Amino acid sequence: MSFSDAIKRLFSRNSAGPDELRDDLGGGFYCTYREKPNGLGGYHPVDMCLRREDAPGFCRQITRSDGSFAAFPGVVHGTWEKQLDMPFRPAVQFQAIVGPFRDGKAEFRWLLQPDGRYFADEDGFGAENCTEIWLRSYMDEKGRFLEPFSVCKN
């Protein structure tokens, strides 16, 4: 890499900042985000953005600084809602995983509610009787959700 390429990469808008994490998604796409305490004993990704290696100015915001979705596509209602032990909030409070791009789309998995062991300390104290609930949608290469979130099995 030449010196000028290194400078461009260092100062381009698509490079991850000092407190940003980066997940490569294949095909020249990647996701940047920061981890922030969720107030429930863990961390969650915030300020998630889809970016492209070949387009330094491209940045599609997926979640805001509080974990809420920038363009929430809605949910497919179902029996999973009866298993919620906390109020539904269209925001990433625990974990989100963006899969690799295949055929122009990437899976977006969102941990809506963790297993009750999430709340326990190392001795098991504080565990709740929660059922783990993951929701899934798909994003296109422009960072737009293609369908409402629906329940998925791990």
PDB file of all heavy atoms in Angstrom, residues 70-95:
ATOM      1  N   ALA A  70     -33.187   2.954  12.610  1.00  0.00           N
ATOM      2  CA  ALA A  70     -33.364   4.177  11.834  1.00  0.00           C
ATOM      3  C   ALA A  70     -34.570   4.052  10.899  1.00  0.00           C
ATOM      4  O   ALA A  70     -35.264   5.039  10.656  1.00  0.00           O
ATOM      5  CB  ALA A  70     -32.099   4.482  11.031  1.00  0.00           C
ATOM      6  N   ALA A  71     -34.810   2.853  10.382  1.00  0.00           N
ATOM      7  CA  ALA A  71     -35.952   2.600   9.492  1.00  0.00           C
ATOM      8  C   ALA A  71     -36.520   1.232   9.846  1.00  0.00           C
ATOM      9  O   ALA A  71     -36.244   0.241   9.177  1.00  0.00           O
ATOM     10  CB  ALA A  71     -35.520   2.656   8.030  1.00  0.00           C
ATOM     11  N   PHE A  72     -37.296   1.189  10.911  1.00  0.00           N
ATOM     12  CA  PHE A  72     -37.844  -0.078  11.400  1.00  0.00           C
ATOM     13  C   PHE A  72     -38.890  -0.610  10.424  1.00  0.00           C
ATOM     14  O   PHE A  72     -39.860   0.082  10.111  1.00  0.00           O
ATOM     15  CB  PHE A  72     -38.459   0.128  12.786  1.00  0.00           C
ATOM     16  CG  PHE A  72     -38.926  -1.130  13.427  1.00  0.00           C
ATOM     17  CD1 PHE A  72     -38.033  -2.141  13.741  1.00  0.00           C
ATOM     18  CD2 PHE A  72     -40.265  -1.317  13.724  1.00  0.00           C
ATOM     19  CE1 PHE A  72     -38.460  -3.329  14.338  1.00  0.00           C
ATOM     20  CE2 PHE A  72     -40.706  -2.489  14.329  1.00  0.00           C
ATOM     21  CZ  PHE A  72     -39.797  -3.490  14.633  1.00  0.00           C
ATOM     22  N   PRO A  73     -38.724  -1.870   9.955  1.00  0.00           N
ATOM     23  CA  PRO A  73     -39.665  -2.408   8.964  1.00  0.00           C
ATOM     24  C   PRO A  73     -40.918  -3.051   9.550  1.00  0.00           C
ATOM     25  O   PRO A  73     -41.747  -3.559   8.815  1.00  0.00           O
ATOM     26  CB  PRO A  73     -38.820  -3.460   8.247  1.00  0.00           C
ATOM     27  CG  PRO A  73     -37.934  -3.989   9.325  1.00  0.00           C
ATOM     28  CD  PRO A  73     -37.595  -2.773  10.175  1.00  0.00           C
ATOM     29  N   GLY A  74     -41.055  -3.049  10.864  1.00  0.00           N
ATOM     30  CA  GLY A  74     -42.191  -3.689  11.507  1.00  0.00           C
ATOM     31  C   GLY A  74     -41.878  -5.136  11.849  1.00  0.00           C
ATOM     32  O   GLY A  74     -40.772  -5.621  11.626  1.00  0.00           O
ATOM     33  N   VAL A  75     -42.879  -5.825  12.408  1.00  0.00           N
ATOM     34  CA  VAL A  75     -42.720  -7.229  12.799  1.00  0.00           C
ATOM     35  C   VAL A  75     -43.908  -8.044  12.307  1.00  0.00           C
ATOM     36  O   VAL A  75     -44.994  -7.505  12.109  1.00  0.00           O
ATOM     37  CB  VAL A  75     -42.589  -7.413  14.333  1.00  0.00           C
ATOM     38  CG1 VAL A  75     -41.353  -6.755  14.872  1.00  0.00           C
ATOM     39  CG2 VAL A  75     -43.830  -6.946  15.055  1.00  0.00           C
ATOM     40  N   VAL A  76     -43.670  -9.332  12.140  1.00  0.00           N
ATOM     41  CA  VAL A  76     -44.748 -10.276  11.879  1.00  0.00           C
ATOM     42  C   VAL A  76     -45.210 -10.755  13.251  1.00  0.00           C
ATOM     43  O   VAL A  76     -44.433 -11.346  13.999  1.00  0.00           O
ATOM     44  CB  VAL A  76     -44.253 -11.461  11.013  1.00  0.00           C
ATOM     45  CG1 VAL A  76     -45.350 -12.496  10.858  1.00  0.00           C
ATOM     46  CG2 VAL A  76     -43.760 -10.972   9.659  1.00  0.00           C
ATOM     47  N   HIS A  77     -46.437 -10.439  13.599  1.00  0.00           N
ATOM     48  CA  HIS A  77     -46.956 -10.800  14.910  1.00  0.00           C
ATOM     49  C   HIS A  77     -47.145 -12.308  15.009  1.00  0.00           C
ATOM     50  O   HIS A  77     -47.373 -12.981  14.016  1.00  0.00           O
ATOM     51  CB  HIS A  77     -48.274 -10.063  15.193  1.00  0.00           C
ATOM     52  CG  HIS A  77     -48.102  -8.572  15.199  1.00  0.00           C
ATOM     53  ND1 HIS A  77     -47.539  -7.897  16.245  1.00  0.00           N
ATOM     54  CD2 HIS A  77     -48.384  -7.640  14.253  1.00  0.00           C
ATOM     55  CE1 HIS A  77     -47.485  -6.613  15.959  1.00  0.00           C
ATOM     56  NE2 HIS A  77     -47.998  -6.431  14.757  1.00  0.00           N
ATOM     57  N   GLY A  78     -47.017 -12.820  16.242  1.00  0.00           N
ATOM     58  CA  GLY A  78     -47.186 -14.256  16.431  1.00  0.00           C
ATOM     59  C   GLY A  78     -47.167 -14.632  17.895  1.00  0.00           C
ATOM     60  O   GLY A  78     -47.169 -13.777  18.790  1.00  0.00           O
ATOM     61  N   THR A  79     -47.112 -15.924  18.145  1.00  0.00           N
ATOM     62  CA  THR A  79     -47.144 -16.431  19.516  1.00  0.00           C
ATOM     63  C   THR A  79     -45.894 -16.039  20.301  1.00  0.00           C
ATOM     64  O   THR A  79     -45.930 -16.051  21.537  1.00  0.00           O
ATOM     65  CB  THR A  79     -47.303 -17.964  19.536  1.00  0.00           C
ATOM     66  OG1 THR A  79     -46.227 -18.542  18.794  1.00  0.00           O
ATOM     67  CG2 THR A  79     -48.629 -18.384  18.924  1.00  0.00           C
ATOM     68  N   TRP A  80     -44.818 -15.674  19.619  1.00  0.00           N
ATOM     69  CA  TRP A  80     -43.601 -15.244  20.319  1.00  0.00           C
ATOM     70  C   TRP A  80     -43.888 -14.045  21.221  1.00  0.00           C
ATOM     71  O   TRP A  80     -43.222 -13.875  22.246  1.00  0.00           O
ATOM     72  CB  TRP A  80     -42.472 -14.932  19.322  1.00  0.00           C
ATOM     73  CG  TRP A  80     -42.771 -13.820  18.357  1.00  0.00           C
ATOM     74  CD1 TRP A  80     -43.331 -13.925  17.122  1.00  0.00           C
ATOM     75  CD2 TRP A  80     -42.541 -12.424  18.559  1.00  0.00           C
ATOM     76  NE1 TRP A  80     -43.461 -12.695  16.537  1.00  0.00           N
ATOM     77  CE2 TRP A  80     -42.977 -11.749  17.395  1.00  0.00           C
ATOM     78  CE3 TRP A  80     -42.005 -11.675  19.598  1.00  0.00           C
ATOM     79  CZ2 TRP A  80     -42.898 -10.370  17.248  1.00  0.00           C
ATOM     80  CZ3 TRP A  80     -41.925 -10.292  19.452  1.00  0.00           C
ATOM     81  CH2 TRP A  80     -42.366  -9.659  18.294  1.00  0.00           C
ATOM     82  N   GLU A  81     -44.858 -13.245  20.870  1.00  0.00           N
ATOM     83  CA  GLU A  81     -45.170 -12.049  21.667  1.00  0.00           C
ATOM     84  C   GLU A  81     -45.677 -12.417  23.059  1.00  0.00           C
ATOM     85  O   GLU A  81     -45.487 -11.653  24.007  1.00  0.00           O
ATOM     86  CB  GLU A  81     -46.186 -11.178  20.928  1.00  0.00           C
ATOM     87  CG  GLU A  81     -45.601 -10.568  19.662  1.00  0.00           C
ATOM     88  CD  GLU A  81     -46.635  -9.905  18.791  1.00  0.00           C
ATOM     89  OE1 GLU A  81     -47.548 -10.602  18.302  1.00  0.00           O
ATOM     90  OE2 GLU A  81     -46.523  -8.669  18.610  1.00  0.00           O
ATOM     91  N   LYS A  82     -46.297 -13.589  23.195  1.00  0.00           N
ATOM     92  CA  LYS A  82     -46.778 -14.045  24.502  1.00  0.00           C
ATOM     93  C   LYS A  82     -45.627 -14.431  25.419  1.00  0.00           C
ATOM     94  O   LYS A  82     -45.802 -14.540  26.631  1.00  0.00           O
ATOM     95  CB  LYS A  82     -47.729 -15.229  24.331  1.00  0.00           C
ATOM     96  CG  LYS A  82     -49.018 -14.864  23.629  1.00  0.00           C
ATOM     97  CD  LYS A  82     -49.892 -16.073  23.400  1.00  0.00           C
ATOM     98  CE  LYS A  82     -51.125 -15.672  22.600  1.00  0.00           C
ATOM     99  NZ  LYS A  82     -51.885 -16.838  22.155  1.00  0.00           N
ATOM    100  N   GLN A  83     -44.450 -14.660  24.851  1.00  0.00           N
ATOM    101  CA  GLN A  83     -43.268 -15.050  25.630  1.00  0.00           C
ATOM    102  C   GLN A  83     -42.438 -13.849  26.092  1.00  0.00           C
ATOM    103  O   GLN A  83     -41.452 -14.017  26.807  1.00  0.00           O
ATOM    104  CB  GLN A  83     -42.385 -15.990  24.814  1.00  0.00           C
ATOM    105  CG  GLN A  83     -43.078 -17.282  24.464  1.00  0.00           C
ATOM    106  CD  GLN A  83     -42.247 -18.133  23.530  1.00  0.00           C
ATOM    107  OE1 GLN A  83     -41.404 -17.650  22.795  1.00  0.00           O
ATOM    108  NE2 GLN A  83     -42.492 -19.434  23.568  1.00  0.00           N
ATOM    109  N   LEU A  84     -42.832 -12.652  25.697  1.00  0.00           N
ATOM    110  CA  LEU A  84     -42.089 -11.455  26.096  1.00  0.00           C
ATOM    111  C   LEU A  84     -42.268 -11.197  27.586  1.00  0.00           C
ATOM    112  O   LEU A  84     -43.390 -11.148  28.084  1.00  0.00           O
ATOM    113  CB  LEU A  84     -42.545 -10.227  25.310  1.00  0.00           C
ATOM    114  CG  LEU A  84     -42.085 -10.142  23.863  1.00  0.00           C
ATOM    115  CD1 LEU A  84     -42.742  -8.958  23.170  1.00  0.00           C
ATOM    116  CD2 LEU A  84     -40.569 -10.031  23.789  1.00  0.00           C
ATOM    117  N   ASP A  85     -41.174 -11.023  28.279  1.00  0.00           N
ATOM    118  CA  ASP A  85     -41.200 -10.692  29.699  1.00  0.00           C
ATOM    119  C   ASP A  85     -40.876  -9.224  29.942  1.00  0.00           C
ATOM    120  O   ASP A  85     -40.851  -8.774  31.076  1.00  0.00           O
ATOM    121  CB  ASP A  85     -40.195 -11.569  30.461  1.00  0.00           C
ATOM    122  CG  ASP A  85     -40.639 -13.015  30.527  1.00  0.00           C
ATOM    123  OD1 ASP A  85     -41.833 -13.258  30.798  1.00  0.00           O
ATOM    124  OD2 ASP A  85     -39.800 -13.899  30.297  1.00  0.00           O
ATOM    125  N   MET A  86     -40.590  -8.505  28.886  1.00  0.00           N
ATOM    126  CA  MET A  86     -40.302  -7.075  28.975  1.00  0.00           C
ATOM    127  C   MET A  86     -41.064  -6.378  27.852  1.00  0.00           C
ATOM    128  O   MET A  86     -41.440  -7.037  26.886  1.00  0.00           O
ATOM    129  CB  MET A  86     -38.795  -6.821  28.887  1.00  0.00           C
ATOM    130  CG  MET A  86     -38.088  -7.498  27.746  1.00  0.00           C
ATOM    131  SD  MET A  86     -36.283  -7.340  27.785  1.00  0.00           S
ATOM    132  CE  MET A  86     -35.868  -8.475  29.081  1.00  0.00           C
ATOM    133  N   PRO A  87     -41.288  -5.107  27.969  1.00  0.00           N
ATOM    134  CA  PRO A  87     -42.036  -4.411  26.912  1.00  0.00           C
ATOM    135  C   PRO A  87     -41.306  -4.472  25.574  1.00  0.00           C
ATOM    136  O   PRO A  87     -40.077  -4.391  25.525  1.00  0.00           O
ATOM    137  CB  PRO A  87     -42.118  -2.969  27.407  1.00  0.00           C
ATOM    138  CG  PRO A  87     -41.727  -2.995  28.833  1.00  0.00           C
ATOM    139  CD  PRO A  87     -40.916  -4.218  29.063  1.00  0.00           C
ATOM    140  N   PHE A  88     -42.074  -4.629  24.495  1.00  0.00           N
ATOM    141  CA  PHE A  88     -41.488  -4.624  23.158  1.00  0.00           C
ATOM    142  C   PHE A  88     -40.981  -3.230  22.842  1.00  0.00           C
ATOM    143  O   PHE A  88     -41.671  -2.237  23.062  1.00  0.00           O
ATOM    144  CB  PHE A  88     -42.519  -5.048  22.103  1.00  0.00           C
ATOM    145  CG  PHE A  88     -41.974  -4.966  20.710  1.00  0.00           C
ATOM    146  CD1 PHE A  88     -41.187  -5.994  20.209  1.00  0.00           C
ATOM    147  CD2 PHE A  88     -42.209  -3.856  19.921  1.00  0.00           C
ATOM    148  CE1 PHE A  88     -40.663  -5.922  18.927  1.00  0.00           C
ATOM    149  CE2 PHE A  88     -41.694  -3.773  18.637  1.00  0.00           C
ATOM    150  CZ  PHE A  88     -40.916  -4.811  18.143  1.00  0.00           C
ATOM    151  N   ARG A  89     -39.781  -3.160  22.346  1.00  0.00           N
ATOM    152  CA  ARG A  89     -39.185  -1.893  21.930  1.00  0.00           C
ATOM    153  C   ARG A  89     -38.427  -2.143  20.635  1.00  0.00           C
ATOM    154  O   ARG A  89     -37.567  -3.018  20.595  1.00  0.00           O
ATOM    155  CB  ARG A  89     -38.232  -1.410  23.019  1.00  0.00           C
ATOM    156  CG  ARG A  89     -37.714  -0.031  22.792  1.00  0.00           C
ATOM    157  CD  ARG A  89     -36.966   0.492  24.010  1.00  0.00           C
ATOM    158  NE  ARG A  89     -36.115   1.563  23.544  1.00  0.00           N
ATOM    159  CZ  ARG A  89     -34.803   1.553  23.584  1.00  0.00           C
ATOM    160  NH1 ARG A  89     -34.160   0.546  24.116  1.00  0.00           N
ATOM    161  NH2 ARG A  89     -34.113   2.560  23.113  1.00  0.00           N
ATOM    162  N   PRO A  90     -38.720  -1.410  19.555  1.00  0.00           N
ATOM    163  CA  PRO A  90     -38.017  -1.627  18.295  1.00  0.00           C
ATOM    164  C   PRO A  90     -36.597  -1.050  18.341  1.00  0.00           C
ATOM    165  O   PRO A  90     -36.284  -0.045  17.714  1.00  0.00           O
ATOM    166  CB  PRO A  90     -38.892  -0.923  17.257  1.00  0.00           C
ATOM    167  CG  PRO A  90     -39.588   0.145  18.034  1.00  0.00           C
ATOM    168  CD  PRO A  90     -39.778  -0.403  19.430  1.00  0.00           C
ATOM    169  N   ALA A  91     -35.762  -1.721  19.136  1.00  0.00           N
ATOM    170  CA  ALA A  91     -34.378  -1.289  19.329  1.00  0.00           C
ATOM    171  C   ALA A  91     -33.527  -2.493  19.704  1.00  0.00           C
ATOM    172  O   ALA A  91     -34.015  -3.418  20.353  1.00  0.00           O
ATOM    173  CB  ALA A  91     -34.290  -0.231  20.430  1.00  0.00           C
ATOM    174  N   VAL A  92     -32.273  -2.470  19.317  1.00  0.00           N
ATOM    175  CA  VAL A  92     -31.339  -3.520  19.698  1.00  0.00           C
ATOM    176  C   VAL A  92     -30.861  -3.209  21.111  1.00  0.00           C
ATOM    177  O   VAL A  92     -30.175  -2.215  21.339  1.00  0.00           O
ATOM    178  CB  VAL A  92     -30.141  -3.588  18.721  1.00  0.00           C
ATOM    179  CG1 VAL A  92     -29.140  -4.618  19.193  1.00  0.00           C
ATOM    180  CG2 VAL A  92     -30.618  -3.902  17.311  1.00  0.00           C
ATOM    181  N   GLN A  93     -31.279  -4.041  22.066  1.00  0.00           N
ATOM    182  CA  GLN A  93     -30.874  -3.853  23.456  1.00  0.00           C
ATOM    183  C   GLN A  93     -29.849  -4.891  23.894  1.00  0.00           C
ATOM    184  O   GLN A  93     -29.235  -4.736  24.940  1.00  0.00           O
ATOM    185  CB  GLN A  93     -32.091  -3.944  24.379  1.00  0.00           C
ATOM    186  CG  GLN A  93     -33.057  -2.802  24.197  1.00  0.00           C
ATOM    187  CD  GLN A  93     -34.244  -2.955  25.120  1.00  0.00           C
ATOM    188  OE1 GLN A  93     -35.197  -3.662  24.811  1.00  0.00           O
ATOM    189  NE2 GLN A  93     -34.186  -2.291  26.259  1.00  0.00           N
ATOM    190  N   PHE A  94     -29.702  -5.956  23.115  1.00  0.00           N
ATOM    191  CA  PHE A  94     -28.798  -7.031  23.506  1.00  0.00           C
ATOM    192  C   PHE A  94     -27.790  -7.337  22.405  1.00  0.00           C
ATOM    193  O   PHE A  94     -26.656  -6.912  22.481  1.00  0.00           O
ATOM    194  CB  PHE A  94     -29.593  -8.280  23.906  1.00  0.00           C
ATOM    195  CG  PHE A  94     -30.514  -8.020  25.061  1.00  0.00           C
ATOM    196  CD1 PHE A  94     -31.864  -7.813  24.858  1.00  0.00           C
ATOM    197  CD2 PHE A  94     -30.017  -7.933  26.352  1.00  0.00           C
ATOM    198  CE1 PHE A  94     -32.714  -7.542  25.923  1.00  0.00           C
ATOM    199  CE2 PHE A  94     -30.848  -7.660  27.416  1.00  0.00           C
ATOM    200  CZ  PHE A  94     -32.209  -7.467  27.202  1.00  0.00           C
ATOM    201  N   GLN A  95     -28.184  -8.031  21.374  1.00  0.00           N
ATOM    202  CA  GLN A  95     -27.256  -8.449  20.335  1.00  0.00           C
ATOM    203  C   GLN A  95     -27.910  -8.327  18.975  1.00  0.00           C
ATOM    204  O   GLN A  95     -29.119  -8.494  18.834  1.00  0.00           O
ATOM    205  CB  GLN A  95     -26.849  -9.904  20.594  1.00  0.00           C
ATOM    206  CG  GLN A  95     -25.739 -10.420  19.743  1.00  0.00           C
ATOM    207  CD  GLN A  95     -25.351 -11.847  20.131  1.00  0.00           C
ATOM    208  OE1 GLN A  95     -25.991 -12.498  20.944  1.00  0.00           O
ATOM    209  NE2 GLN A  95     -24.295 -12.332  19.537  1.00  0.00           N
TER     210      GLN A  95
END
